[in-house]
Amino acid sequence: MKLTLRLAWRNLWRNRRRTLIVVMAMAMMMSFLIMYDSMILGFETAVYGNAIKLSGGNIQIRANGYADSYSPNPMLPMGNGLDVVQAAEAQPGVAVALRHANTGGLVTNHEGVFPVGIYGIEPEKEKPVNPVMQDEFLIAGRFLQIDDEDAIFIGKGLADAMGIGVGDRIPLSGKNTNEEMSKRTMTVIGVYDINLASLERQVVYISLKAAQDLYGLGDNITEVILFTEITGKENPIVEELNASLSGYEISTWKSAIPELSSTVEMKNAVMTGFSAVLLGIAAIGIFNILLMAIYERTKEIGLLGAIGLKPREITLLFLVEGIMIGFVGAVVGTVLGYLITSVLGIFGLNYGFAVDMIDYLALMGTHIYPAFDINLTLQRAGMVALISSIAALYPALEASRREPATALHHV
Amino acid sequence: MNYILKMSFRNLMRNKRRSVFSALAIAIGTALLLFMSATIRGEMRGSLDLTINLRTGHLQIHAEDYKDANMSLKRADMIEAPLDISNQIEEIPQVKAASPRLNISGILAFKNETIGVQIIGIDPPSAANAIYKDGMVSGEFLTSDDREGVLIGLPLAESLDLGPGDSIDLILNTSEGDTDEQRFTIRGVYTTNTPGYDKATIFMPLEKAQTISRTENHASMIYILLYEMDDTAAVKAAIHAPGYIIEDWEELNKLIILVEQLSNAMMFFFNLMVLGVTSTVIMNTLLMAVYERTREMGILGALGMKGKQIRSLFLTEATLLALGGVIVGLAIGVPLVLYYAQVGFFFGDLGISANSSFMLGNSIYPHPTVGDVISVSLAAFLITILSGYYPATQASKLEPVEALHSNN
């Protein structure tokens, strides 16, 4: 057996060019497969990532009882949330954990009554990651600051509907911990515009401290929102968090925005189905090339037979070679695929050329950042190695059964 | 040239299995590309069609300040004497139906359940309601003079165990800023096969809706369906409705169209990956073939064949493979796509909310276009020939004397 291994390894490198072509074919195909898979993951983040950030983040951690509550914005204190933030940010894949004190309420003026969600946020932490708080969307005033007390940050949609601007004062009522309405007059400190009027009308931002004071929360917050690095891979994070945190309800955007989730899932089901076909094409290619590589050596097989190797031993030798080359191809392919995906993951693929969407900049990016999935890649690598073993077995069996004399005369 | 064609054809025939496998890779690649583009196109088109039929129509007329998301009932945001306008519009030949609609937000109360719903006042005889009329599951469709009848969707009826004849309470907003509650009788149950929409949309006759919301002789919008989507611009120009604004489906469905553009842009990259795999198969197979036949090349060279001719020999082989592969690919792909375009992939209830601007039915119907077939075939064809270029160049560079001495 040891001899067979040594022979096989040596055979592999005896004809370097041939082996290189086979390995190159496997590696290139694997890279394409890996890029395809990683683009499916990146697709969700590119198209829906910001929409998810705007409508409640990838993962929400709240006090028990939230899901069973009838109210869309129940006031359930969950402690100061610092331990939750720490636990969440320790998880790989979590980009940031944000503390919110949210409640439902109203803003009123002579134009009418406008129901809004009131988000109490930590300005310094929210600013870099919240899509609406990017400099390019600020059309007037400034962003919230940590010690702002009666300042409110609103969207253009609401400002237009109410006919107000920076510096104007509006009464804000919100449900407090006793299920009663607390009222306070706030000054508009800044206005953002992401060109989604209906969304802008639904949410106002105040500082966490102001929210806690207004609603009698003390040190408490009502939710911790997590943004993950990759959209669509929340489940493992949720499992980890469920194990390390107790007494909280953890949900993902999939339950919060089912219509988006179903769209994404449908698209993924379709694209994954297609990737199976793509794997089939790669399999045919690898099979074909390996068959060529072995039939090319019919004469050599005859020679081995002539010097006394049994058909079984010849088959074994070629099978081992097939496994080895498959292994080498899979390793090179994985490394190559990883490198390409990582580079693309840093720079992103620009698809902005085809889309005229300046209007929805906050909602959708112009780049797709492929994301590498190690498990899927290992599956692909396994398939490549398996195909190459099968591809090696078939011609080796056939060739080893030939009469050495005829095989030797093969041209 | 003729003999090069003959030689390359013979070369392919000499190793039938290899040629068949290579062509098969191209064929499956072509079929996959075709299927992918048709499916994505079909998905987007399906959701656009559905949204047009259920919510936006091909064209809408409404007051300048009306916003669908608000369901405002202020007089200033509404259309006065809507039936006069819609009857006028229906005289335009390309218009299939024009019908006033009144949107009211409200709450359905039944036993202990309270569910937020949108109530749409419709003009029952109008052809614009065909999608709901065709989808009646049980009971009767509404009549114009019905004062207490409503239609509810199948999922709502199932979850509350309601049927024709049962009573429900509806709490509706009125134009005066307060609410009104009234008991209604379910006349019938409809389905549009869009669970999210059906779950939260209740229909009642326009007149009754106007009475209860105190918006007599007003409507939120006039909903217009055309026979052909392509006539939209012409009809839009032909409509005369001073004081109101006319929006077409492109303006009403900006987000869907945006996502469609986005999907198309991204499909470009997915297509590249498929072409990449196919081209790898071809390139490496041909490269292997070149080295396998080194001695043969040497003989050809020694007989006086020039490098350029050897290169065109291999390129011709690649072209023949591409031709065969693409033809077989189309032979597999086109019937398959056409079949699924009829049957559709079934996905089941995906739980999409009624107010979402992005609606999907429970099936995807791939939508192949001639343009897709041509561009996909062309791409597969060109990529294959391009992949043959490197191996062909390698072959043309071989020195006859060295090649003759090669082991292969």
Side-chain angles (χ1 to χ4, degrees):
Chain A
M1 190 62 208
K2 208 173 155 196
L3 180 73
T4 315
L5 278 178
R6 222 163 68 197
L7 264 177
W9 186 250
R10 219 181 267 168
N11 277 343
L12 220 53
W13 300 111
R14 202 166 37 108
N15 191 333
R16 260 189 214 154
R17 192 170 58 196
R18 184 171 55 212
T19 307
L20 280 181
I21 293 176
V22 177
V23 168
M24 184 173 82
M26 287 180 183
M28 280 168 67
M29 283 181 207
M30 262 199 72
S31 309
F32 284 122
L33 286 175
I34 291 171
M35 267 154 70
Y36 182 98
D37 292 330
S38 66
M39 279 195 326
I40 295 182
L41 277 175
F43 187 94
E44 288 184 34
T45 314
V47 183
Y48 306 109
N50 277 352
I52 286 163
K53 281 183 188 172
L54 283 174
S55 39
N58 298 78
I59 299 174
Q60 303 89 34
I61 305 171
R62 294 166 176 137
N64 272 329
Y66 188 91
D68 292 333
S69 166
Y70 287 104
S71 159
N73 256 323
M75 193 57 153
L76 294 169
M78 59 174 281
N80 69 12
L82 290 171
D83 51 334
V84 178
V85 169
Q86 205 177 16
E89 285 186 341
Q91 292 291 334
V94 174
V96 70
L98 302 164
R99 300 194 300 150
H100 285 176
N102 293 357
T103 188
L106 306 162
V107 282
T108 46
N109 72 351
H110 55 88
E111 287 289 332
V113 179
F114 300 86
V116 288
I118 305 166
Y119 285 18
I121 57 157
E122 293 176 286
E124 74 286 4
K125 203 162 174 190
E126 196 100 5
K127 164 88 180 60
V129 291
N130 191 326
V132 309
M133 295 180 194
Q134 303 312 304
D135 292 324
E136 63 260 42
F137 303 128
L138 184 72
I139 54 170
R142 61 165 173 86
F143 296 107
L144 286 172
Q145 280 164 9
I146 188 162
D147 46 2
D148 281 338
E149 292 221 338
D150 61 349
I152 187 166
F153 187 66
I154 63 173
K156 184 171 176 285
L158 186 64
D160 286 350
M162 298 184 73
I164 53 172
V166 171
D168 288 334
R169 292 169 67 76
I170 49 170
L172 172 75
S173 319
K175 196 170 53 183
N176 64 24
T177 44
N178 303 322
E179 299 285 314
E180 290 158 352
M181 293 305 249
S182 299
K183 196 166 173 179
R184 183 155 168 184
T185 302
M186 310 293 272
T187 306
V188 177
I189 196 94
V191 180
Y192 67 89
D193 178 13
I194 55 168
N195 202 35
L196 290 166
S198 59
L199 204 90
E200 289 165 12
R201 218 178 356 242
Q202 287 163 11
V203 179
V204 298
Y205 297 93
I206 59 178
S207 75
L208 182 65
K209 198 168 157 299
Q212 287 169 335
D213 288 349
L214 188 55
Y215 310 125
L217 276 165
D219 257 357
N220 284 303
I221 58 163
T222 64
E223 66 177 17
V224 173
I225 295 293
L226 309 189
F227 291 173
T228 59
E229 270 149 21
I230 299 165
T231 295
K233 284 176 76 177
E234 288 86 4
N235 285 349
I237 300 174
V238 171
E239 277 165 32
E240 284 292 319
L241 287 174
N242 267 325
S244 60
L245 296 169
S246 61
Y248 299 108
E249 270 178 25
I250 302 176
S251 56
T252 67
W253 62 275
K254 289 181 186 177
S255 51
I257 335 173
E259 63 266 37
L260 204 57
S261 156
S262 53
T263 312
V264 171
E265 262 158 38
M266 184 145 85
K267 190 157 275 155
N268 274 359
V270 173
M271 294 315 284
T272 311
F274 289 150
S275 92
V277 181
L278 194 58
L279 185 70
I281 301 176
I284 292 175
I286 293 173
F287 194 72
N288 201 13
I289 291 162
L290 266 169
L291 282 191
M292 289 174 77
I294 292 178
Y295 276 119
E296 210 182 274
R297 292 161 62 189
T298 307
K299 212 165 159 184
E300 198 181 314
I301 293 173
L303 189 69
L304 287 172
I307 60 170
L309 254 74
K310 293 191 187 86
R312 198 166 41 86
E313 287 165 318
I314 298 175
T315 312
L316 186 69
L317 179 67
F318 276 79
L319 184 63
V320 170
E321 271 188 51
I323 294 171
M324 277 178 176
I325 204 166
F327 188 74
V328 173
V331 169
V332 175
T334 308
V335 172
L336 195 65
Y338 176 74
L339 288 179
I340 295 175
T341 317
S342 305
V343 171
L344 289 179
I346 294 166
F347 295 105
L349 289 166
N350 188 344
Y351 57 82
F353 63 88
V355 194
D356 158 39
M357 58 178 177
I358 306 301
D359 289 354
Y360 293 95
L361 220 61
L363 203 58
M364 289 165 200
T366 50
H367 287 69
I368 177 169
Y369 296 94
F372 188 73
D373 182 329
I374 185 71
N375 288 330
L376 207 59
T377 304
L378 289 180
Q379 273 178 37
R380 298 278 184 247
M383 282 304 294
V384 166
L386 189 71
I387 292 165
S388 100
S389 321
I390 295 171
L393 187 63
Y394 174 72
L397 266 177
E398 199 189 294
S400 67
R401 284 206 200 98
R402 286 202 199 178
E403 269 305 308
T406 24
L408 265 172
H409 281 107
H410 184 89
V411 228
Chain B
M1 191 57 215
N2 200 10
Y3 70 95
I4 286 186
L5 189 68
K6 213 187 265 171
M7 274 174 79
S8 55
F9 187 71
R10 264 191 210 151
N11 277 340
L12 287 176
M13 279 307 156
R14 204 163 45 159
N15 200 328
K16 286 205 186 76
R17 181 173 45 206
R18 178 203 304 161
S19 306
V20 165
F21 274 137
S22 305
L24 194 63
I26 304 172
I28 300 178
T30 312
L32 179 66
L33 286 175
L34 189 63
F35 213 80
M36 264 162 64
S37 54
T39 306
I40 296 297
R41 201 179 288 277
E43 187 204 340
M44 298 315 297
R45 218 190 139 82
S47 66
L48 195 60
D49 267 359
L50 202 64
T51 316
I52 286 175
N53 271 302
L54 290 177
R55 288 189 51 235
T56 66
H58 289 107
L59 286 166
Q60 266 185 21
I61 302 177
H62 42 74
E64 216 158 317
D65 287 335
Y66 181 77
K67 287 278 182 320
D68 200 34
N70 278 3
M71 297 200 189
S72 164
L73 294 171
K74 282 190 212 157
R75 292 284 160 115
D77 295 345
M78 306 191 76
I79 296 174
E80 199 177 350
L83 273 169
D84 296 348
I85 302 176
S86 68
N87 287 338
Q88 218 176 338
I89 293 169
E90 275 196 330
E91 275 160 28
I92 300 171
Q94 296 99 319
V95 173
K96 190 176 172 190
S99 175
R101 288 199 170 160
L102 176 58
N103 298 336
I104 311 169
S105 65
I107 294 165
L108 182 157
F110 178 74
K111 291 181 183 161
N112 288 333
E113 303 279 342
T114 53
I115 297 162
V117 288
Q118 56 172 339
I119 294 133
I120 303 184
I122 53 171
D123 181 30
S126 168
N129 304 323
I131 185 167
Y132 314 117
K133 237 177 232 175
D134 294 343
M136 291 302 290
V137 179
S138 60
E140 303 275 313
F141 198 74
L142 298 167
T143 52
S144 297
D145 52 357
D146 196 338
R147 308 307 285 168
E148 52 199 20
V150 291
L151 291 185
I152 67 168
L154 186 62
L156 187 65
E158 277 174 351
S159 67
L160 297 178
D161 197 19
L162 289 167
D166 290 334
S167 296
I168 51 169
D169 290 320
L170 289 178
I171 302 157
L172 296 96
N173 285 327
T174 75
S175 66
E176 281 149 27
D178 53 5
T179 57
D180 201 346
E181 183 171 353
Q182 198 175 320
R183 179 152 293 193
F184 287 88
T185 307
I186 296 168
R187 295 277 183 245
V189 177
Y190 73 91
T191 176
T192 59
N193 290 319
T194 314
Y197 182 86
D198 299 353
K199 232 177 264 184
T201 308
I202 293 181
F203 294 103
M204 69 170 67
L206 182 64
E207 269 186 55
K208 176 63 192 173
Q210 287 170 338
T211 314
I212 193 168
S213 63
R214 296 185 206 106
T215 53
E216 285 78 8
N217 205 21
H218 282 71
S220 310
M221 60 155 160
I222 291 173
Y223 170 96
I224 302 167
L225 275 186
L226 307 181
Y227 290 106
E228 291 293 332
M229 213 176 196
D230 300 334
D231 292 334
T232 308
V235 175
K236 191 175 177 181
I239 292 173
H240 186 65
Y244 299 118
I245 51 172
I246 308 167
E247 283 188 297
D248 60 33
W249 58 269
E250 281 184 56
E251 292 162 322
L252 295 163
N253 294 298
K254 262 189 205 152
L255 210 58
I256 293 189
I257 290 164
L258 176 75
V259 174
E260 179 170 24
Q261 288 180 333
L262 214 73
S263 294
N264 283 342
M266 245 173 256
M267 281 319 288
F268 172 76
F269 291 109
F270 282 106
N271 288 349
L272 272 189
M273 298 302 117
V274 175
L275 287 174
V277 170
T278 319
S279 107
T280 310
V281 173
I282 301 308
M283 192 171 92
N284 288 285
T285 310
L286 283 177
L287 206 55
M288 200 73 131
V290 169
Y291 292 126
E292 194 186 274
R293 301 202 312 237
T294 307
R295 192 143 57 152
E296 205 180 301
M297 297 302 112
I299 294 170
L300 287 177
L303 286 173
M305 207 169 177
K306 293 198 187 79
K308 224 160 73 181
Q309 286 165 312
I310 293 179
R311 186 167 69 194
S312 57
L313 179 69
F314 272 92
L315 278 177
T316 313
E317 275 185 44
T319 311
L320 287 176
L321 273 179
L323 208 62
V326 168
I327 289 170
V328 174
L330 291 181
I332 302 170
V334 171
L336 205 66
V337 167
L338 288 177
Y339 171 75
Y340 277 105
Q342 293 299 317
V343 182
F345 302 112
F346 182 74
F347 279 93
D349 182 353
L350 289 156
I352 297 148
S353 83
N355 231 340
S356 147
S357 57
F358 199 80
M359 290 206 275
L360 294 158
N362 47 18
S363 298
I364 294 183
Y365 296 89
H367 183 83
T369 63
V370 178
D372 276 348
V373 173
I374 293 172
S375 60
V376 158
S377 314
L378 217 59
F381 190 72
L382 290 179
I383 281 286
T384 310
I385 296 174
L386 220 61
S387 314
Y389 196 80
Y390 176 69
T393 313
Q394 289 300 102
S396 69
K397 277 193 200 142
L398 293 172
E399 268 300 313
V401 182
E402 277 171 37
L404 270 171
H405 280 106
S406 150
N407 272 331
N408 290 317

